[in-house]
Amino acid sequence: MADNNEVASLLDTQKGEFDFVVLIKSFKFKKALMEEHFNENYMESNTFPKANFKGTIADLSTINFSKDGIYPVTVKGDLTIHGVKNSIQAPGIITIAQGIINATSKFTVKVKDYNIKIPFIVINNIAEVIDISVDCKYDSFKRS
């Protein structure tokens, strides 16, 4: 398991567009050796330094961004990891409380779908399907 708290993300509430950028080297593991292997052997983070998602909220009309509430949504878009772009669809929750927007989602990706090679010697120690959890808070702002 790894965490990454250095994610850049924008949400356009008018169009329902999301944009996430994640620096691969910002993932932190419990063991330094795991982090080293992740960056050098699997993700090749010098060659593919970031992952990104560009997509939209499919059911934008169900959300009232000016009203506190919990809104289940579906997000659709393109996820690029390891230089490979795939279309994905994922469930999510938009929570609005006191003007703060929080977006969460949990979904999975298969490493083979992104041309990430797992050496045979460690194939039993590395998951072929990766669980991804997203939790982002957005401060609202007005354009002038």
Side-chain angles (χ1 to χ4, degrees):
M1 184 168 128
D3 291 315
N4 190 329
N5 294 313
E6 298 181 34
V7 176
S9 180
L10 295 172
L11 168 61
D12 181 330
T13 58
Q14 299 297 311
K15 297 178 182 176
E17 296 175 344
F18 273 108
D19 196 351
F20 290 89
V21 177
V22 178
L23 294 177
I24 300 302
K25 285 187 178 181
S26 295
F27 281 97
K28 300 299 173 204
F29 290 77
K30 292 179 183 176
K31 296 180 181 178
L33 187 58
M34 290 172 70
E35 193 168 313
E36 182 180 325
H37 285 295
F38 173 81
N39 282 300
E40 292 177 10
N41 300 332
Y42 313 126
M43 295 301 291
E44 302 172 282
S45 58
N46 286 332
T47 304
F48 306 105
K50 62 186 175 181
N52 75 315
F53 173 79
K54 289 183 185 238
T56 58
I57 299 170
D59 38 7
L60 182 63
S61 64
T62 64
I63 304 169
N64 182 346
F65 286 101
S66 62
K67 182 179 177 186
D68 286 0
I70 298 171
Y71 303 92
V73 296
T74 299
V75 178
K76 297 179 181 180
D78 293 325
L79 178 63
T80 304
I81 302 173
H82 203 247
V84 177
K85 183 191 300 185
N86 285 310
S87 294
I88 67 164
Q89 178 174 311
I93 302 285
I94 300 287
T95 303
I96 303 167
Q98 299 176 351
I100 304 294
I101 300 168
N102 190 63
T104 59
S105 181
K106 291 185 181 196
F107 59 98
T108 60
V109 296
K110 295 178 183 176
V111 294
K112 70 178 182 177
D113 290 347
Y114 293 90
N115 291 336
I116 299 167
K117 307 291 185 223
I118 307 299
F120 183 75
I121 196 164
V122 294
I123 197 88
N124 293 327
N125 298 329
I126 306 295
E128 294 179 40
V129 177
I130 306 299
D131 295 323
I132 297 178
S133 295
V134 176
D135 188 347
C136 288
K137 286 188 175 38
Y138 297 92
D139 294 324
S140 59
F141 66 92
K142 303 239 185 222
R143 295 182 190 149
S144 52

